[in-house]
Amino acid sequence: MSGHADDLVGRYFDAAERLLRRVRVEETEAIAAAGELVADTVGSGGRLFAFGAGHSSLAAQDVVYRAGGMALMNLLSVPGLTGVDVRPATLGSALERVEGLAATVLDVSPLRAGDLLVVISLSGRNALPVEMASEARARGARVVGVTSVAYARETAPGHPSGTFLKDHCDVVVDSKVAVGDAELTLDGVGAPFASASTVVTSAVMQSVMAVAAGTLAERGVEPPLLRSGNVDGGRDWNDAVFDRYRDRIFHQH
């Protein structure tokens, strides 16, 4: 490996580690509060949903139907916004700015009062995440927002209300990611590069789920966790979990 490449690898990992350490130090209380909300919802018979648009959807998908994950976590998906497979890819960005779309999605979703919705949006400034949070709360659901609060300080709101995602949540976890979501610069390269938001946001989501599992266990409730289907007995375990919580899991047949 060239010294140039080695330097860039080291700089990126240093940047990602700094962000992770900062979130750990400054956001542990918020992460714990979010995890307790998840546990409260599970214990009270509610359902769990996660939403993110574009690349923010990656962290939402990371806690849905996976080994070691909470079986009750469901992806609240919006066609054209779950990933970047829509063509042209710019359509996803355009849809995130459409006012009224969140209400339409929630109208046909299974989300109801007493449920919990995690809304993930790095900037938290566009219409869809803002309205997804505000509409969900208006319908009696609790909302956890995972976002970079820096955007609310340093950018103009993208919603006519003048509000950001952080203004419509019961709990906000600040990812601390800088505006622009690029950690590195280099002489001769015109734009900053190397995003760390997915690394940080996925770590936040997994830590929230860890707190939820621990909180449920402390309360004497078996956390509805999934095992890997690639270990002996894993599929039988998961079948039993799916059967017990069938009315609260929407990603099965």
Side-chain angles (χ1 to χ4, degrees):
M1 181 184 296
S2 69
H4 188 69
D6 184 62
D7 177 63
L8 287 172
V9 170
R11 287 175 58 197
Y12 177 77
F13 273 86
D14 287 345
E17 288 168 4
R18 280 195 299 270
L19 277 170
L20 289 168
R21 284 195 298 269
R22 186 179 173 198
V23 171
R24 178 180 179 180
V25 170
E26 299 179 18
E27 296 299 306
T28 291
E29 185 175 340
I31 290 170
E36 289 173 4
L37 269 184
V38 173
D40 291 345
T41 304
V42 172
S44 64
R47 292 87 61 82
L48 307 173
F49 298 89
F51 167 78
H55 289 96
S56 290
S57 179
L58 297 174
Q61 294 178 61
D62 194 43
V63 292
V64 176
Y65 183 55
R66 67 165 304 148
M70 199 73 67
L72 274 59
M73 183 59 76
N74 301 278
L75 184 67
L76 186 63
S77 61
V78 179
L81 283 165
T82 307
V84 291
D85 55 336
V86 62
R87 294 185 180 180
T90 52
L91 175 60
S93 299
L95 288 173
E96 196 174 352
R97 297 190 290 269
V98 174
E99 296 171 35
L101 180 56
T104 300
V105 170
L106 291 175
D107 282 344
V108 297
S109 80
L111 183 135
R112 65 189 183 192
D115 292 345
L116 176 69
L117 173 63
V118 181
V119 179
I120 304 168
S121 173
L122 178 62
S123 72
R125 67 192 295 266
N126 291 315
L128 188 56
V130 169
E131 294 181 2
M132 193 67 78
S134 62
E135 286 283 342
R137 290 184 85 188
R139 296 164 193 243
R142 289 168 290 189
V143 176
V144 171
V146 182
T147 186
S148 171
V149 175
Y151 278 84
R153 296 191 301 265
E154 302 175 28
T155 70
H159 192 263
S161 66
T163 63
F164 287 76
L165 168 61
K166 72 177 185 63
D167 301 312
H168 302 281
C169 301
D170 296 281
V171 176
V172 176
V173 182
D174 184 358
S175 68
K176 311 295 182 182
V177 175
V179 172
D181 191 22
E183 296 299 321
L184 302 182
T185 58
L186 190 66
D187 290 343
V189 178
F193 55 98
S195 166
S197 61
T198 303
V199 173
V200 175
T201 306
S202 289
V204 166
M205 291 299 293
Q206 291 295 342
S207 62
V208 167
M209 295 300 108
V211 170
T215 301
L216 286 168
E218 287 178 357
R219 297 174 181 177
V221 177
E222 176 71 29
L225 300 172
L226 296 174
R227 292 180 180 269
S228 171
N230 294 312
V231 300
D232 293 342
R235 294 181 183 178
D236 290 339
W237 172 281
N238 292 344
D239 287 344
V241 172
F242 287 145
D243 185 62
R244 179 176 179 182
Y245 294 99
R246 182 163 297 278
D247 62 334
R248 298 159 73 182
I249 301 173
F250 301 97
H251 53 72
Q252 60 179 339
H253 62 76

